[in-house]
Amino acid sequence: AGGGYIEKENQAYFIRGEGLVSSLEDIRNIVVKNRNGMPVYIRDIAEVGFGRATRYGAITGNAEGEKVLGQVMMLKDANSNKVIEAVQERIASISETLPEGIYINGFLDRSLLIDKTTF
């Protein structure tokens, strides 16, 4: 669950937590303080509802406005050739299901670099 971020000097520390709540009612019933033995619930001090995530930036391309950017991160010690092959297969599979006019356009593929630099 997103919790925003804290800025300190030139760094942004993103806050993320994992919890056991599964509904707005669960959130309303969280105790935040005990006052003279009486629980103070979130519902007592706040309105609970759905919102939206804080936007942290945008990417644009080819003077065509905003785009969606995805990035593949490889696990340490993974086989780069196998990862690239798997990503390309998955992109091909996903591309078949996209609505007309929507496409995946890879713009940084390191396959050639890897082929030329590994033995």
Side-chain angles (χ1 to χ4, degrees), residues 92-103:
S93 172
I94 292 169
S95 293
E96 294 173 3
T97 67
L98 295 174
E100 186 176 332
I102 304 295
Y103 59 91

Side-chain angles (χ1 to χ4, degrees), residues 37-50:
M38 297 294 295
V40 177
Y41 297 94
I42 287 181
R43 68 174 178 253
D44 298 328
I45 58 173
E47 181 179 326
V48 178
F50 290 104

